[in-house]
Amino acid sequence: GGIRGGHGSGTGGGRVPASEPGAAEAGSSAMIAAQGAGTRHEDGDEWRRVPRPHWMPDPPAEAMVPRTSRQLPTVALVSWASGEKYEKRLDEFRASYQQAGFAEAVLWKDADLKSFVAQLKHPMAKEFGRVNQHRPYCAAFKAAVLWYAMTKEGASDYVLWSDASQYASGSIRGNIRQAVERLQGRASRAENGRFVPESSVWRKSAWWTKAAADEHHIRSVYGQVHCGFFCGGLPLSNKVKNNIKDGTATEFKELLSGPWRSRFHILNSNILLENTPENRLLVWDWLSMYLAKPGGFCGSHTQDQAAFSILVENRTLPVMNACPYVTSRGMLPSPSKPARALRACFQSSKGYNWFIDAVAGGFYEVVTPEAYDTLFLQADGSPFPSELTKSR
């Protein structure tokens, strides 16, 4: 129990040799060489000042060494799948990732994951896979594969995790380079990036009133505010549909504070992280939540997503909110595909092409930590009517 800042040297890190099937699939060597030498240096000590529970072990010291980013950042596509239905999605990723601007792809099947975990020098690595329910490894494979992709030799400057899920299919059509340029402030926002219909419930929210005047900057996308079932409506909260159950809250009580139940839930079907020590620590700690407290990690309906929501909000990180730009016709507009009818808007926002389009085009706003508790409040500070916050 208790909270402490991160100290110590950790326990070493696992690596998958390049000759093994789990090794990254490198992109064009010419493309990578063209990135050039970078100029932005990281402060390698910042991560040590992050308050963390004592049961979270420190990460390997060598994995937290500051890196020098390239002038033109490289991006790695990261995913995992098990079973023919989902492994087909990896084939689609593999066939299109370079054309979409990715420098490399880390696309693992279960054998690759098991090979890596067998070498992972985490003090609780042997606990991986001990608890399986509802989803394989309770979807903790996301944290494991991200950790490898962010710490391997020659790791990219950014990593994009994308689910190989039933909610999206086909080739990657978006432009990931444009998305990263937008995050780094090197791309202009789409012309109508602040267009939201006057009738939208978002225009009536306390958050929107403030967000309209805020700066539109975020360097990493820690998932996104989980859009609701109604297009253009309010998002899903942590308390809806057992997104975070009491048992999970009890296990991770040191990480919870304030009115966490009534805050928005975070959708992590797509996560786009700058490869910094702080973000590597986030991924390591997310993995540690599964290894140290699998009952809490696996106990909620959304499992890995519940743990991720708890951790991101505990770290008071800014969160992307694209929900105001989702309508019954799709995103307004979607550069890589025409608008189409959607049965459920929250399903559309799980797609990798939708996500890349939203980031690249600037079709999102940012929820700062100070505004976490304002999304379900009207502009005058009063709660929205209950019919607008129902799950269905």
Side-chain angles (χ1 to χ4, degrees), residues 44-332:
D45 293 327
E46 284 296 324
W47 70 271
R48 296 184 181 277
R49 294 191 276 273
V50 175
R52 300 161 62 235
H54 285 282
W55 51 264
M56 282 183 173
D58 285 342
E62 64 269 26
M64 306 304 285
V65 173
R67 303 171 58 254
T68 300
S69 62
R70 303 166 180 88
Q71 288 181 339
L72 295 177
T74 54
V75 190
L77 174 65
V78 183
S79 194
W80 175 93
S82 179
E84 183 179 356
K85 176 181 178 181
Y86 298 108
E87 288 175 6
K88 287 181 178 179
R89 198 73 64 245
L90 297 186
D91 294 335
E92 293 170 339
F93 287 164
R94 192 172 289 109
S96 59
Y97 77 90
Q98 287 181 302
Q99 185 176 349
F102 291 94
E104 62 173 338
V106 179
L107 306 174
W108 282 4
K109 297 181 181 180
D110 198 40
D112 304 319
L113 177 65
K114 289 178 178 177
S115 175
F116 171 65
V117 170
Q119 302 176 56
L120 178 63
K121 294 180 182 178
H122 187 293
M124 295 173 281
K126 290 184 178 180
E127 297 299 309
F128 195 95
R130 184 172 66 83
V131 177
N132 271 297
Q133 58 188 61
H134 189 44
R135 300 174 181 86
Y137 313 109
C138 306
F141 51 78
K142 294 184 185 182
V145 186
L146 274 171
W147 177 251
Y148 167 75
M150 296 176 78
T151 58
K152 72 182 187 67
E153 187 72 25
S156 291
D157 302 296
Y158 272 82
V159 293
L160 171 64
W161 168 271
S162 285
D163 283 355
S165 77
Q166 60 184 319
Y167 295 108
S169 63
S171 300
I172 304 172
R173 297 183 296 273
N175 187 329
I176 192 62
R177 289 179 181 274
Q178 185 178 344
V180 168
E181 287 176 358
R182 161 117 282 285
L183 295 179
Q184 295 190 328
R186 296 188 290 117
S188 59
R189 193 169 189 181
E191 249 178 64
N192 51 355
R194 285 261 343 150
F195 171 75
V196 171
E198 291 288 345
S199 60
S200 171
V201 67
W202 286 101
R203 283 191 176 273
K204 303 179 179 71
S205 73
W207 169 77
W208 179 267
T209 302
K210 183 178 186 301
D214 283 349
E215 290 295 322
H216 183 75
H217 294 302
I218 182 172
R219 288 190 67 95
S220 293
V221 184
Y222 304 100
Q224 57 182 307
V225 173
H226 200 313
C227 299
F229 293 90
F230 296 111
C231 297
L234 294 173
L236 298 185
S237 68
N238 286 327
K239 64 184 176 183
V240 168
K241 295 181 70 64
N242 294 317
N243 280 335
I244 298 181
K245 286 186 175 181
D246 289 343
T248 297
T250 298
E251 288 286 343
F252 300 125
K253 60 185 178 181
E254 305 103 318
L255 301 173
L256 293 167
S257 63
W260 63 268
R261 289 184 187 277
S262 59
R263 287 179 184 150
F264 57 89
H265 197 59
I266 294 176
L267 175 67
N268 68 0
S269 299
N270 298 280
I271 305 169
L272 180 54
L273 299 178
E274 186 174 15
N275 197 352
T276 64
E278 293 81 9
N279 283 343
R280 293 194 287 275
L281 180 68
L282 181 79
V283 170
W284 171 267
D285 287 347
W286 187 23
L287 176 60
S288 294
M289 291 173 77
Y290 170 68
L291 297 175
K293 297 177 179 288
F297 191 99
C298 302
S300 293
H301 170 67
T302 56
Q303 297 189 315
D304 69 293
Q305 195 164 267
F308 191 74
S309 294
I310 290 171
L311 189 59
V312 167
E313 294 182 4
N314 170 265
R315 299 280 159 90
T316 60
L317 298 170
V319 181
M320 178 178 111
N321 184 9
C323 302
Y325 300 102
V326 184
T327 74
S328 58
R329 294 176 53 219
M331 192 168 63
L332 292 174

